[in-house]
Amino acid sequence: MSSIERVDVFVASPGRTFVTLRITTTDGVVGLGDATLNGRELAVASYLRDHVVPLLIGRDPARIEDMWQYLYKGAYWRRGPVTMTAIAAVDTALWDIKGRTAGLPVYQLLGGRSRDGVLVYSHASGTDVPSLLDDVERYLELGYKAVRAQAAVPGVGGTYGVRKGTVYEPAATDLPDEQPWDTEAYLGFAPAYLEAVRERFGFGFHLLHDVHHRLTPIEAARFGKSVEGCRLFWMEDPTPAEDQSAFRLIRQHTTTPIAVGEVMNSIWDVKDLITEQLIDYVRTTVVHAGGITHLRRIFDLAALHQVRTGSHGATDLSPVSMAAAVHLDLAVPNFGIQEHMGHPAETAEVFRTGVTFADGMLHPSEEPGLGVEYDEKAAERFPYQRRYLPVARRLDGSVHDW
């Protein structure tokens, strides 16, 4: 019987910092998992090397569910982003091994296709309304059928979500960039530029917008009401979701769809949001929500309550996570949309992925497993670089939700 013979943890920064787990079996089969936790990458790498890897050696890689329960319940300290990201890496790697051993792509092991491709959206942004409109046009010309729109608020420097240069990369500084924030200025400006997008391009594509947790529940309700005429696909993270009951107030005031969940890491974090239908899209992702095994449970719960999927897919997910997401997206019945930003050229030097983009959709590799390979030698050319997301501060200097 095959068993786990070796487990390696790699940390490299090919355009973005990634933590990659590689499991090798006694039969020579290799599986990859993503263990990246943006801004806390080394914490997960240590958790894996010091606490998880010793538990894996000699175990049966085919027992995916048993391994998940063992790592989750055996640690005593459950949940939390570091623990769940580490478990996700192991779980994803085991699914990769399962597919490679069976000679099938992972989506076939999950029940096969529920659709022909995975609808995706990407990020258009601008320093003002004209540059935003030009960027939306660029993405539509690339074939995207869904576009997220963000513009810099006049007089408020460093507005989150606005690309600097050719690549959108918010985690770009060795220490957190402290950016000013003005809620009233945002509430007055954002609806205007979203209306400008619809006025120029019409309603023939899906339009999304990320609030990024920066509003109180009643402010979020006000925003959602003000943009109902734009027919947004969703407003993302309108308010911090630690208090799930806050979304009841938003629901009372607007019909704009709500998407939440990228910072959530277990089914318990989103249970009330889903079962009370306080959101329309759950954005938990493979790497931060315990891997394919646990994310499938979240999506199954969501399906019972007519909540669709909309997984996080920014550049802090490695090509391993993106491949795993696409395989799962293809199989689940309640898929909604998948975020897709792509990666810089440096990332492609380290990861080879079979995921392809065509006609507004992503398509998984038909190779066995996830269809991703990791070049350890290439990764050595990109040593770890510490990078943090920005911190928002109100005009009075106090730290703000972001």
Side-chain angles (χ1 to χ4, degrees):
M1 181 183 71
S2 176
S3 63
I4 295 174
E5 182 175 62
R6 178 173 175 173
V7 184
D8 299 288
V9 180
F10 304 102
V11 182
S13 299
R16 185 72 177 247
T17 298
F18 301 115
V19 180
T20 304
L21 183 76
R22 185 177 67 193
I23 296 178
T24 305
T25 72
T26 52
D27 292 339
V29 181
V30 171
L32 297 175
D34 184 11
T36 305
L37 183 62
N38 192 343
R40 299 294 184 270
E41 297 91 353
L42 298 185
V44 184
S46 176
Y47 190 104
L48 285 167
R49 289 179 178 135
D50 298 336
H51 304 291
V52 174
V53 169
L55 307 178
L56 303 180
I57 304 302
R59 294 190 174 273
D60 183 354
R63 296 178 62 170
I64 298 176
E65 179 66 37
D66 182 68
M67 184 72 76
W68 197 96
Q69 298 295 334
Y70 173 71
L71 294 177
Y72 181 78
K73 296 178 178 177
Y76 185 76
W77 305 107
R78 301 181 185 181
R79 300 162 63 182
V82 173
T83 294
M84 296 303 281
T85 300
I87 292 175
V90 175
D91 184 79
T92 303
L94 294 182
W95 278 103
D96 192 19
I97 289 172
K98 178 82 77 172
R100 294 182 191 225
T101 302
L104 293 170
V106 167
Y107 77 82
Q108 293 286 17
L109 305 179
L110 299 173
R113 291 176 179 266
S114 289
R115 57 199 46 84
D116 295 329
V118 172
L119 177 69
V120 294
Y121 72 93
S122 200
H123 298 190
S125 67
T127 56
D128 53 26
V129 175
S131 60
L132 168 63
L133 296 177
D134 289 344
D135 211 31
V136 171
E137 183 174 39
R138 180 172 70 89
Y139 278 102
L140 294 176
E141 290 176 348
L142 288 171
Y144 283 91
K145 298 177 181 178
V147 179
R148 192 188 86 168
Q150 313 286 140
V153 179
V156 181
T159 306
Y160 192 88
V162 177
R163 186 173 62 251
K164 297 178 181 179
T166 57
V167 178
Y168 172 56
E169 182 46 80
T173 53
D174 183 59
L175 293 175
D177 181 24
E178 299 187 16
Q179 300 178 350
W181 178 254
D182 186 334
T183 298
E184 284 303 313
Y186 165 78
L187 287 172
F189 181 60
Y193 69 69
L194 294 171
E195 290 167 5
V197 171
R198 283 303 194 200
E199 182 177 351
R200 177 164 169 179
F201 300 105
F203 291 84
F205 69 103
H206 298 303
L207 179 62
L208 302 85
H209 178 71
D210 187 359
V211 182
H212 225 267
H213 317 276
R214 292 188 174 182
L215 301 179
T216 65
I218 197 64
E219 290 168 346
R222 170 182 160 192
F223 175 81
K225 188 71 173 177
S226 69
V227 297
E228 285 181 354
C230 296
R231 293 185 356 219
L232 294 185
F233 189 90
W234 72 39
M235 60 174 177
E236 178 183 336
D237 294 336
T239 195
E242 288 93 338
D243 178 11
Q244 298 185 33
S245 66
F247 287 79
R248 297 192 190 107
L249 188 148
I250 303 173
R251 274 290 202 225
Q252 292 170 2
H253 292 279
T254 181
T255 58
T256 296
I258 300 170
V260 164
E262 72 178 70
V263 299
M264 304 304 185
N265 51 73
S266 82
I267 197 169
W268 305 107
D269 298 323
V270 293
K271 178 181 71 72
D272 293 345
L273 293 172
I274 290 171
T275 58
E276 296 186 34
Q277 297 180 317
L278 300 178
I279 61 174
D280 302 279
Y281 297 90
V282 59
R283 300 202 67 246
T284 46
T285 191
V286 168
V287 66
H288 300 140
I292 292 173
T293 296
H294 192 62
L295 188 58
R296 180 65 182 265
R297 285 200 177 88
I298 294 173
F299 289 172
D300 285 344
L301 176 65
L304 295 177
H305 299 276
Q306 300 186 69
V307 174
R308 295 183 179 180
T309 74
S311 287
H312 176 64
T315 50
D316 59 345
L317 275 67
S318 86
V320 177
S321 270
M322 181 54 68
V326 172
H327 281 273
L328 185 55
D329 292 338
L330 201 69
V332 297
N334 57 323
F335 170 74
I337 201 168
Q338 171 69 53
E339 182 178 16
H340 173 240
M341 292 176 61
H343 292 97
E346 298 93 330
T347 304
E349 295 181 35
V350 176
F351 297 89
R352 182 190 65 80
T353 177
V355 175
T356 56
F357 173 81
D359 195 29
M361 296 188 290
L362 288 180
H363 303 271
S365 168
E366 292 298 324
E367 297 177 35
L370 295 174
V372 184
E373 302 295 337
Y374 185 80
D375 190 330
E376 181 181 352
K377 291 297 183 182
E380 293 175 356
R381 301 199 302 271
F382 302 97
Y384 168 71
Q385 294 181 327
R386 186 174 64 186
R387 291 290 183 267
Y388 286 113
L389 292 170
V391 171
R393 286 189 180 273
R394 298 182 181 89
L395 297 184
D396 65 4
S398 59
V399 175
H400 187 56
D401 282 306
W402 71 272

